[in-house]
Amino acid sequence: MRGSVIGSGSFGTALANVLAANCEDVRLWGREPTVVDAINTRHENPTYLPGIPISERVRATLDLEEALAGSELVVLATPSHATRQVLARAKDFLPRNVPIITVSKGIENETLLTMTELLEDCLPEEFHPYLAVLSGPSFAKELARRMPTVVTIASHWDKVAVRCQKALQTETFRSYTSTDVVGVQYGGALKNVIAIAAGMADGLGMGHNARAAIITRGLAEITRLAVRKGANPLTLSGLSGMGDLVLTCTGELSRNRHVGMELGKGKKLADILGQMKEVAEGVKTARSARDLSLKTGVELPICQQVYLIAYEDKNAKMAVVDLMTRQPKSELV
């Protein structure tokens, strides 16, 4: 079996390693020549996963046609804001009748589309039944080090989710299937915004009580919006909801939590992002969350404050005051 991974960042590289357990040949596409060369010559991605060995079954390339030729499973691991651009270049080479899994956790700013909706917008209808999404609590470094990781794979067509599940099953990587494509994606995308808020609370020294409140009320926000968009509320209590939210709000490897912590310490967003190698998806998703709140009428108070801090230079301490002094209400409303 041959598999393809489009995107040689930390998560794409880690998933290529997972695929290599069940595929004789894994092609990994990247846009950085130094990364591609290091993977092929040293079996390491020194930029994103330094010191972690990569299977010899993984071969990197700068050529999208070469990466996709003969593939029986395609993983799209580009940042959400770059996915449309990469698809425009790749769609003529995409194999027919094979699963295409997106692992990007974001909502496109201009269109407010989830990643599977974006794929449907970019690709001919014949591809649509084969689309799937993978999400859940999964730091790339732990995944690459073969530490136990459990995720959800969702597709409207259950057969596609099961095919992806089998291709990715290893002794240390387990997945559950779902048909709730909407819920899995909203959980994965919006948890990054809540993680920025949790990081800000930590950066401000507000303690464990505040963090627990942000996680809990953040989950309520995510669930409200996801259900409005057609999700099953039970999905948000699972791996791609609560599981991913807890990890991203508390884990030391969380890029979004890191951004929040630095904002809480008073640093400017541009300076924080300029020092990071990889994308913190929650920054762009905060804008999408604000716009979705306005469009749907669903209240997202934590996401709204993250947007104001990130894009309108609001003081983080004042944001906390504004959240704490909102109109009292029932918890379940």
Side-chain angles (χ1 to χ4, degrees), residues 28-34 36 60-67 89:
L28 176 62
W29 176 82
R31 63 172 80 227
E32 300 173 68
T34 54
V36 168
T61 177
L62 296 164
D63 188 317
L64 278 166
E65 184 174 10
E66 180 186 350
R89 297 174 53 196

Side-chain angles (χ1 to χ4, degrees), residues 65-281:
E65 184 174 10
E66 180 186 350
L68 292 165
S71 180
E72 297 168 71
L73 180 76
V74 177
V75 176
L76 295 175
T78 54
S80 59
H81 67 272
T83 299
R84 186 179 291 274
Q85 177 189 15
V86 172
L87 270 180
R89 297 174 53 196
K91 67 178 181 179
D92 290 340
F93 310 125
L94 284 170
R96 267 61 176 173
N97 305 322
V98 305
I100 300 173
I101 317 172
T102 175
V103 300
S104 303
K105 296 177 178 178
I107 298 169
E108 192 175 40
N109 283 157
E110 297 78 12
T111 63
L112 303 182
L113 297 177
T114 64
M115 290 299 99
T116 58
E117 290 171 336
L118 185 153
L119 295 183
E120 289 174 350
D121 189 46
C122 292
L123 298 176
E125 193 170 342
E126 64 182 297
F127 288 96
H128 297 184
Y130 296 93
L131 300 179
V133 57
L134 181 153
S135 190
S138 48
F139 284 147
K141 286 184 179 178
E142 294 188 4
L143 180 59
R145 291 186 176 120
R146 294 180 171 83
M147 300 171 78
T149 301
V150 186
V151 300
T152 300
I153 297 175
S155 176
H156 292 301
W157 190 10
D158 191 55
K159 276 189 175 181
V160 170
V162 171
R163 283 174 65 181
C164 298
Q165 182 184 49
K166 289 179 179 177
L168 291 164
Q169 183 74 33
T170 73
E171 292 181 352
T172 58
F173 189 81
R174 177 179 176 83
S175 59
Y176 290 88
T177 61
S178 171
T179 56
D180 188 5
V181 175
V182 173
V184 167
Q185 289 183 97
Y186 273 92
L190 294 178
K191 58 90 184 178
N192 286 325
V193 186
I194 304 302
I196 293 176
M200 284 193 284
D202 289 343
L204 288 165
M206 291 188 167
H208 295 89
N209 293 353
R211 183 197 293 173
I214 289 169
I215 292 172
T216 308
R217 295 309 302 165
L219 181 63
E221 290 189 21
I222 295 169
T223 303
R224 277 200 301 269
L225 182 58
V227 169
R228 175 67 62 87
K229 300 295 286 187
N232 182 337
L234 292 177
T235 298
L236 284 308
S237 66
L239 291 163
S240 57
M242 175 58 85
D244 208 2
L245 178 65
V246 169
L247 179 74
T248 313
C249 288
T250 63
E252 297 298 323
L253 296 175
S254 170
R255 296 191 295 270
N256 292 284
R257 177 175 176 266
H258 168 76
V259 168
M261 288 185 68
E262 297 303 295
L263 285 170
K265 294 173 183 176
K267 295 184 180 178
K268 296 294 183 182
L269 181 62
D271 295 334
I272 299 166
L273 298 181
Q275 296 174 355
M276 296 176 66
K277 292 180 181 178
E278 293 191 90
V279 174
E281 293 272 24

